[in-house]
Amino acid sequence: MDFNGHMDTVVRVAVTLVNELTPGERRGRPFRLPEDGGAAATAALRTAYPAYRELGTEEGAQLAAVAARLRAVFTAVADGDVDSAATQVNTLLRETQARPMLERHDGEPWHLHFHGSDDTTAGSWAASCATGLAIVLGSEFHDRLGVCTAPHCDRVYVDVSRNGTRRFCSTACQNRVKTAAFRARAKGD
Ligand SMILES: [Zn+2]
């Protein structure tokens, strides 16, 4: 699945923002909102853009609010409710007034960026991520957004495997489930 290099990056950013900035469970343990939301948000964005500038507490909190909205889209798709996911993405696109703009920087060829109506970092990322998810939902890969199915984990993922059979956020969760199944079978003998 390669819609376009930049869009793939944006979808990955959406996944990372949700996984680093929304509370819940991760790989069998409770996951709370990090105390320093600014540092967590910076770390999340630097997974895709290593030189991303340092974000403050306020910006971290705003991005966490965006991440909560993005999580709802992944949850809806995982629940088989693509209609709800599409409605929520449309709301985000409308609210952020996402607008496309061709840009060229850092020696890259022209590529499409999406900006929000305001120039805040959170507003721009909300617009970009909503656009990225809109492109996924509007494609044949609309069911590729997922929530980890391992027990006590609700981290999200985008399934870029060829046959679309991914079920876990990470190999850690996949192994947890495999081990549990193995133990259950061993007990049954
Ligand atoms: Zn997981």
Side-chain angles (χ1 to χ4, degrees), residues 110-126:
W110 286 103
H111 57 278
L112 210 48
H113 269 239
F114 289 85
H115 294 271
S117 56
D118 60 9
D119 278 331
T120 64
T121 299
S124 290
W125 279 114

Side-chain angles (χ1 to χ4, degrees), residues 25-28 148-155 168-170 172-174 176:
E25 293 177 306
R26 168 153 73 180
R27 301 179 191 175
C148 187
T149 57
H152 301 291
C153 186
D154 61 8
R155 301 299 97 181
F168 305 109
C169 69
S170 58
C173 272
Q174 186 175 19
R176 283 201 298 125

Side-chain angles (χ1 to χ4, degrees), residues 5-175:
H6 180 67
M7 273 302 114
D8 278 357
T9 306
V10 166
V11 172
R12 273 209 318 277
V13 167
V15 167
T16 310
L17 288 175
V18 171
N19 285 343
E20 300 302 323
L21 299 176
T22 63
E25 293 177 306
R26 168 153 73 180
R27 301 179 191 175
R29 299 212 174 103
F31 180 77
R32 292 180 190 86
L33 272 188
E35 259 167 47
D36 188 346
T42 306
L45 290 173
R46 281 184 183 165
T47 61
Y49 300 95
Y52 207 85
R53 71 182 175 83
E54 196 118 359
L55 299 171
T57 310
E58 174 84 32
E59 287 175 318
Q62 289 168 351
L63 274 166
V66 171
R69 305 273 305 270
L70 299 174
R71 169 178 282 284
V73 176
F74 283 85
T75 306
V77 175
D79 291 345
D81 194 351
V82 176
D83 290 354
S84 163
T87 306
Q88 294 184 60
V89 166
N90 276 343
T91 304
L92 270 171
L93 289 172
R94 214 168 24 242
E95 282 179 22
T96 59
Q97 295 176 24
R99 61 192 155 79
M101 190 70 67
L102 280 167
E103 293 186 13
R104 188 167 63 173
H105 56 83
D106 301 322
E108 293 175 46
W110 286 103
H111 57 278
L112 210 48
H113 269 239
F114 289 85
H115 294 271
S117 56
D118 60 9
D119 278 331
T120 64
T121 299
S124 290
W125 279 114
S128 295
C129 291
T131 306
L133 296 184
I135 289 171
V136 175
L137 290 179
S139 77
E140 62 179 304
F141 301 111
H142 60 264
D143 56 355
R144 293 298 187 94
L145 306 177
V147 179
C148 187
T149 57
H152 301 291
C153 186
D154 61 8
R155 301 299 97 181
V156 305
Y157 60 83
V158 53
D159 183 356
V160 294
S161 69
R162 195 142 59 127
N163 42 11
T165 51
R166 185 165 170 178
R167 289 169 52 219
F168 305 109
C169 69
S170 58
T171 46
C173 272
Q174 186 175 19
N175 290 338

